[in-house]
Amino acid sequence: MWFSKSINDTLKELDVHPETGLSSEEAAKRKKHFGLNELEVKKKKTVFQIFISQLNDWLIYVLLAAVVITFLMGEYVDSVIIVLVIAVNAGIGVYQEVKAGKAIDALMKMSSPKALVKRDSHTKEIESSELVPGDIVILEAGRIVPADLRLIETANLQIEESALTGESVPENKKAEEIYGDPKTPVGDRENQAFMTSVVTYGRGAGVVVETGMKTEVGKIAHLIDNEESTKTPLEKRLNDLGKLLGKIAVGICAFIFILSWFQGRDLAEMFLTAVSLAVASIPEGLAAIVAVVLSIGVTSMSKKNAIIRRLPAVETLGSVNVICSDKTGTLTMNKMTVTQIFTSDGLIDLDNHRKNEIPHAAKLLTKGMILCSDATLEGGDCTGDPTEVALLVLGDAINLDRKNLLSNTKRINEKAFDSDRKMMSVLVKEEDGDYKVFTKGALGSLNKVCTKIFTDGEIREITKFDLENFSTAAGEMSDHALRTLALAYRPAHRETKPEEMEGELVLVGLVGMMDPARDEVKPAVALAKKAGIKTVMITGDHRNTAFAIAKNLEIAQHIAQVITGPELDDYSEEDLKNNVDQYLVYARVSPEHKVKIVRALKANGNIVSMTGDGVNDAPSLNAADIGVAMGITGTDVAKGAADMILTDDNFSTIVKAIEQGRNIYSNIKKSVIFLLTCNLGEVVVMFLALAIGWASPLIATQLLWINLITDSLPAIALGMDEADPDVMAEKPRDPKENFFSNGTGLLAVIMGVFIGLVTFFAFWYGYYEMGYLPLDKELPEEVVKNARTLAFMVLVFAQLFYSLGLRNMKKNIFQIGVFSNMYLVGAIIIGVLLQVLVLIVPVMREAFKLHMLDQKGWMMATILGLLPLTVLELYKAVFKRI
């Protein structure tokens, strides 16, 4: 019962010093003893269980019944072939499901929360699963508590524990509290923080007391099923489409069977043929192939710094036409450097100033900034906000002894930063025993609470001239794209409460920081513009600073395209909706404004991507069509609300992700159109031949073989096609658009019918070349076999070769490169080799009831097989010229 022990007793029992934390060696020992800090998850299906689930389909049941019937009829070869087809199809399904599952697991692992810990006297960020009892964990707003902690330090710390207590109001935490009652409820333990709860305000530190299943949340959830459903809206729509087409196919097959009965055909044979046609023509693999293509796509995206947390986001990415991006760290490098200092002594340009000639006011300013910082900087390694890191670097630059300052100054209390006040304050005890409050924040906010000014080493009343002087200096810094931060202080006493800190302050000065734009952003903005995507910059900077950067990046051209947060407040919801499209830069905005901006943009029919990193950004990330969180500077709360996480916090990665999203959608579309076209071709040739009284062009085993060769490998290979470099020359896709829009559906029907007619002709020619016609009476068995063999070969060749033309609906196969998708080339070669193998190996030829083709037959099979591809290429040349 850690809540009943004092801080010292807890640290003593866990054998750890709060200043140094555990050593790496000790942490490794404890990890070996206690295991990983993870909750148990529901056991995943074994490969065998997945295999069995693949057989749980009514079509498979019908095929299994067909196996029994053919076996009883003595058609043992047919039975074996059908069983093999079932097994191979199920095997492909297992491969697809396992691959998709692994991809999702990897993405979930990559987006799992991190923990800020002290180890080996250094503060570092590690995977939360690596935590062990005794680790010293730093807590700050936006972080998810990574294990059960006994708090050892709190500064206005508030934690939301609704997952455990059901209470949505954050709990105030006090490290010094001790509870004697062993039955103290979880919700009343103010000296503890619990795994999965969220820090909403303030700062603190705690020592890990329980990990994994021994935590409070672990006790509640003995088994947690964290496997999110990977069914996307796209997969669901394709599932529904598959079922609809399946019903149509079954209807046609039932009609064929009834027709055969009236025609006096062999019912047992026709039953098998009808069932096999149903299996071959129903695109039951649609959703599975989509899942594989999506998983391959998102895995590729994660390697390029974009982690997709929710698969539907991939589909939405292709429709994004507005990217709302934070400036700091996303458009800029987030490597702040203080270049100017302004105090009442005047402006100091640090690039041209000697370090030993820094005035007292500038030193006081730097000292206060460091004491107001929660960042760390040790030997080049840093943690925390880049702005605060820059202030530590400033201290080193002017030869201020940070280590000595921090060891001789103790922080007693603080008032954390929030976006409404735009400042934060700390109460510190100095080496001489005096207490001071230091407040850093926006100059405009500090001006309202400052009554005095520090000048010439003394404190005097602040004047209107002083305020104007500081405002002018800040304005000039802003014009040069510098971000400004001001500091004030006042004498205090130990009992000064947070709400009393920010009043009657002494203004000391301000710093100007440069955050250079990323080199790759400007080309990315231009590429987005070419793709019909508008870039909108959102920042807390002043109007002039924001415009200077936006103009440099070619986001905005004139100052009228900039609007500030206070100006936004004057707009009604309807006014903002009517005017939002004319603004490209939003300056001095708070997270609450971001929600308004997103809603207004969406109300005008835009598909919006919004970036965010703070706790308060979660609502805007949820409101956007694609919420994008920062992987480096982003809080756990922001990451949890996002659809996508940028591991490099880079704007250009968003544009690349949109490009990849468009290509993934395009590849899925190719696979779907290919499957539907091929399946339609099979139905057409069977329906036509049987409807006019001809023999069945294909028997059951041949149909199943075609299904195996053409419905799997080429379809997946199309889904893995190379990215189209011209995809960003197209406008964003209308979210209401489906795979069959813009004439694609009509083309699929026409080409499906054409493939069916070509195969139908091949079937007729197979009779003709041997001197017979399909309706002749007493046809020799070898003649029928020859006709079926030609139809069989032509149908497979036609489908395999046709896949090459579907890679791009504007460029011909030579423009995109015949061998630029080696997966597809491999699939076609394998398909052709297997097809030839079936024909030339006597045992297989007999099993599939085929006839060895002569030279003319091979020539016809090749020419007719290439015909659909040729027609498609001619169509592109005539109607789809670029």
Side-chain angles (χ1 to χ4, degrees):
M1 293 186 293
W2 300 100
F3 57 86
S4 62
K5 295 176 182 177
S6 69
I7 294 170
N8 286 336
D9 288 346
T10 302
L11 293 170
K12 191 175 179 182
E13 189 170 332
L14 291 166
D15 191 21
V16 63
H17 193 282
E19 295 302 318
T20 59
L22 296 174
S23 66
S24 297
E25 294 78 13
E26 180 61 26
K29 284 181 193 172
R30 296 191 187 191
K31 180 183 168 185
K32 195 172 181 181
H33 178 73
F34 292 103
L36 289 172
N37 175 36
E38 292 177 336
L39 298 174
E40 287 178 20
V41 297
K42 185 179 177 181
K43 283 186 179 178
K44 294 187 182 297
K45 287 181 183 177
T46 63
V47 172
F48 179 72
Q49 286 172 324
I50 296 172
F51 183 83
I52 295 299
S53 70
Q54 292 293 321
L55 303 178
N56 187 21
D57 185 276
W58 68 273
L59 277 171
I60 300 296
Y61 298 153
V62 175
L63 271 184
L64 289 171
V67 171
V68 175
I69 293 167
T70 51
F71 187 81
L72 293 174
M73 289 167 58
E75 299 286 348
Y76 304 122
V77 175
D78 284 4
S79 299
V80 171
I81 290 172
I82 295 171
V83 168
L84 281 174
V85 168
I86 292 170
V88 173
N89 259 334
I92 291 168
V94 169
Y95 167 77
Q96 290 172 336
E97 191 168 326
V98 168
K99 190 168 183 67
K102 282 182 178 175
I104 300 305
D105 287 346
L107 292 173
M108 286 180 69
K109 189 175 180 181
M110 288 170 78
S111 58
S112 62
K114 304 280 194 298
L116 199 61
V117 299
K118 273 187 184 176
R119 281 192 185 171
D120 302 311
S121 300
H122 292 290
T123 303
K124 60 175 91 171
E125 196 169 49
I126 64 170
E127 295 287 341
S128 57
S129 59
E130 297 293 314
L131 286 176
V132 294
D135 263 325
I136 303 297
V137 175
I138 312 299
L139 298 176
E140 53 193 13
R143 284 201 178 264
I144 293 173
V145 179
D148 280 5
L149 311 177
R150 170 61 169 93
L151 296 170
I152 60 173
E153 180 188 334
T154 51
N156 304 310
L157 185 64
Q158 293 181 5
I159 298 180
E160 194 258 293
E161 299 174 339
S162 59
L164 278 170
T165 64
E167 180 58 61
S168 58
V169 178
E171 299 285 339
N172 289 301
K173 296 293 180 177
K174 295 172 187 170
E176 64 277 6
E177 294 291 328
I178 299 173
Y179 300 95
D181 185 357
K183 294 182 179 178
T184 303
V186 169
D188 293 342
R189 299 178 198 170
E190 294 182 357
N191 61 3
Q192 274 199 277
F194 302 102
M195 189 179 194
T196 73
S197 54
V198 178
V199 181
T200 58
Y201 189 78
R203 188 181 55 81
V207 59
V208 175
V209 292
E210 300 291 359
T211 58
M213 294 305 289
K214 291 186 177 179
T215 60
E216 289 298 326
V217 75
K219 293 172 189 173
I220 296 169
H222 291 293
L223 282 176
I224 286 186
D225 182 4
N226 69 349
E227 294 179 77
E228 293 182 19
S229 169
T230 57
K231 278 273 195 290
T232 69
L234 180 59
E235 286 178 270
K236 288 173 187 171
R237 288 204 303 274
L238 288 175
N239 250 334
D240 294 340
L241 175 65
K243 286 175 184 173
L244 174 65
L245 295 174
K247 287 172 185 174
I248 295 169
V250 168
I252 292 170
C253 295
F255 173 77
I256 287 171
F257 182 71
I258 294 166
L259 184 66
S260 304
W261 183 62
F262 280 114
Q263 291 174 341
R265 297 175 189 261
D266 183 336
L267 290 183
E269 183 186 330
M270 290 315 299
F271 166 75
L272 282 177
T273 303
V275 168
S276 302
L277 180 59
V279 172
S281 60
I282 294 170
E284 71 281 356
L286 277 181
I289 284 172
V290 169
V292 170
V293 175
L294 275 176
S295 67
I296 291 168
V298 296
T299 303
S300 169
M301 288 173 81
S302 69
K303 291 172 184 172
K304 296 175 182 176
N305 302 316
I307 299 173
I308 299 293
R309 291 190 69 254
R310 299 184 179 96
L311 283 179
V314 178
E315 187 183 349
T316 312
L317 275 170
S319 300
V320 167
N321 66 335
V322 178
I323 303 174
C324 295
S325 175
D326 286 326
K327 184 211 76 174
T328 305
T330 311
L331 296 171
T332 60
M333 295 175 70
N334 209 16
K335 290 182 179 176
M336 293 284 189
T337 306
V338 178
T339 58
Q340 292 185 348
I341 294 175
F342 182 82
T343 65
S344 55
D345 295 328
L347 182 71
I348 299 173
D349 192 324
L350 291 170
D351 292 334
N352 304 314
H353 205 89
R354 292 181 182 176
K355 294 179 182 178
N356 57 356
E357 295 178 1
I358 300 296
H360 179 58
K363 288 182 178 177
L364 176 62
L365 171 67
T366 307
K367 172 187 169 183
M369 290 289 191
I370 291 170
L371 293 174
C372 276
S373 171
D374 290 322
T376 66
L377 176 64
E378 296 165 6
D381 295 326
C382 60
T383 64
D385 187 282
T387 303
E388 296 193 338
V389 172
L391 298 172
L392 303 186
V393 173
L394 170 64
D396 296 343
I398 66 168
N399 294 327
L400 194 149
D401 189 342
R402 285 192 296 115
K403 195 170 184 180
N404 183 56
L405 172 65
L406 293 171
S407 62
N408 292 323
T409 311
K410 184 179 180 182
R411 187 183 292 191
I412 306 298
N413 209 339
E414 69 181 70
K415 188 170 185 180
F417 176 86
D418 71 48
S419 54
D420 293 329
R421 291 172 19 254
K422 289 187 171 61
M423 53 186 172
M424 67 89 70
S425 301
V426 295
L427 172 66
V428 298
K429 182 182 180 182
E430 296 187 306
E431 188 177 5
D432 57 9
D434 288 344
Y435 291 87
K436 280 193 179 74
V437 167
F438 286 97
T439 300
K440 78 172 184 334
L443 179 65
S445 300
L446 260 66
N447 280 346
K448 297 172 186 175
V449 290
C450 286
T451 56
K452 296 180 175 63
I453 188 168
F454 188 86
T455 179
D456 298 325
E458 296 178 351
I459 298 171
R460 64 168 172 80
E461 294 294 319
I462 199 164
T463 65
K464 187 178 179 182
F465 176 77
D466 293 324
L467 294 175
E468 287 174 356
N469 202 12
F470 269 76
S471 294
T472 301
E476 288 174 357
M477 288 180 182
S478 294
D479 290 341
H480 290 90
L482 297 185
R483 185 178 184 184
T484 60
L485 196 62
L487 181 98
Y489 83 101
R490 75 176 178 85
H493 50 81
R494 184 178 180 85
E495 288 73 33
T496 302
K497 295 175 183 176
E499 57 270 21
E500 299 170 347
M501 290 180 184
E502 293 165 357
E504 298 184 0
L505 295 172
V506 180
L507 183 62
V508 179
L510 66 128
V511 295
M513 288 177 275
M514 169 65 77
D515 184 13
R518 293 177 182 266
D519 293 337
E520 60 272 32
V521 167
K522 197 170 182 177
V525 170
L527 180 61
K529 190 174 183 180
K530 181 184 173 186
I533 303 167
K534 181 169 72 174
T535 303
V536 172
M537 187 176 97
I538 295 176
T539 178
D541 288 341
H542 290 282
R543 184 196 297 269
N544 291 356
T545 309
F547 177 64
I549 293 168
K551 189 175 183 183
N552 177 47
L553 294 173
E554 296 181 1
I555 291 172
Q557 301 305 316
H558 45 83
I559 197 79
Q561 292 172 314
V562 184
I563 186 172
T564 64
E567 289 168 342
L568 271 180
D569 291 330
D570 294 335
Y571 275 133
S572 67
E573 199 171 309
E574 189 63 28
D575 288 339
L576 183 57
K577 178 190 167 186
N578 295 334
N579 291 283
V580 72
D581 285 327
Q582 66 179 291
Y583 298 116
L584 296 172
V585 180
Y586 293 85
R588 304 304 287 165
V589 298
S590 67
E592 290 73 26
H593 289 127
K594 291 171 81 170
V595 179
K596 287 184 180 179
I597 295 165
V598 170
R599 285 178 180 161
L601 285 166
K602 287 178 72 175
N604 286 344
N606 294 297
I607 304 298
V608 184
S609 166
M610 170 66 82
T611 67
D613 55 9
V615 187
N616 296 337
D617 285 331
S620 62
L621 293 176
N622 278 322
D625 296 286
I626 297 282
V628 181
M630 302 298 108
I632 299 171
T633 59
T635 59
D636 293 332
V637 174
K639 291 175 188 175
D643 302 288
M644 183 167 81
I645 299 172
L646 305 184
T647 58
D648 60 354
D649 290 12
N650 194 332
F651 173 84
S652 65
T653 303
I654 303 175
V655 180
K656 286 177 192 169
I658 290 173
E659 183 175 352
Q660 286 179 285
R662 288 186 178 189
N663 276 308
I664 290 169
Y665 186 87
S666 172
N667 286 350
I668 291 171
K669 183 175 180 176
K670 295 171 198 173
S671 297
V672 171
I673 296 301
F674 171 73
L675 284 171
L676 296 182
T677 304
C678 293
N679 291 349
L680 181 59
E682 293 161 23
V683 172
V684 166
V685 67
M686 291 292 289
F687 182 77
L688 272 178
L690 294 172
I692 59 177
W694 292 10
S696 175
L698 300 160
I699 59 174
T701 49
Q702 292 168 358
L703 281 164
L704 293 173
W705 178 260
I706 292 169
N707 180 55
L708 185 64
I709 287 184
T710 62
D711 275 16
S712 51
L713 295 180
I716 294 172
L718 276 172
M720 296 167 70
D721 208 359
E722 291 286 312
D724 179 5
D726 294 331
V727 76
M728 291 299 273
E730 299 168 8
K731 296 300 176 192
R733 191 185 75 254
D734 187 329
K736 294 174 184 174
E737 178 186 311
N738 59 40
F739 286 143
F740 310 112
S741 302
N742 304 319
T744 308
L746 181 61
L747 182 66
V749 171
I750 292 169
M751 292 310 297
V753 170
F754 184 69
I755 288 172
L757 291 174
V758 168
T759 310
F760 183 76
F761 174 78
F763 186 52
W764 172 84
Y765 185 81
Y767 287 104
Y768 176 76
E769 73 165 340
M770 297 187 80
Y772 292 88
L773 291 173
L775 290 174
D776 287 351
K777 293 181 180 178
E778 297 181 7
L779 287 164
E781 188 181 346
E782 285 305 308
V783 173
V784 178
K785 277 186 179 181
N786 185 65
R788 281 177 175 159
T789 302
L790 200 54
F792 182 47
M793 298 301 287
V794 167
L795 185 55
V796 170
F797 284 0
Q799 292 181 352
L800 290 174
F801 298 149
Y802 183 70
S803 64
L804 284 169
L806 283 175
R807 289 186 57 204
N808 193 298
M809 292 309 295
K810 289 184 178 178
K811 297 177 183 177
N812 64 50
I813 59 172
F814 301 107
Q815 285 176 306
I816 58 174
V818 177
F819 299 102
S820 56
N821 182 347
M822 290 309 294
Y823 294 111
L824 185 58
V825 171
I828 292 169
I829 290 172
I830 290 169
V832 170
L833 286 177
L834 286 172
Q835 192 69 3
V836 171
L837 206 64
V838 165
L839 192 54
I840 64 174
V841 176
V843 176
M844 296 187 75
R845 187 166 65 239
E846 286 302 314
F848 283 90
K849 297 182 175 60
L850 299 172
H851 177 84
M852 187 55 144
L853 293 176
D854 57 14
Q855 190 175 356
K856 193 188 289 184
W858 281 110
M859 196 181 298
M860 284 299 291
T862 306
I863 292 169
L864 292 175
L866 285 168
L867 206 53
L869 173 61
T870 306
V871 169
L872 179 62
E873 291 302 301
L874 286 171
Y875 164 79
K876 286 193 277 188
V878 175
F879 297 106
K880 295 284 185 178
R881 269 187 203 158
I882 299 172

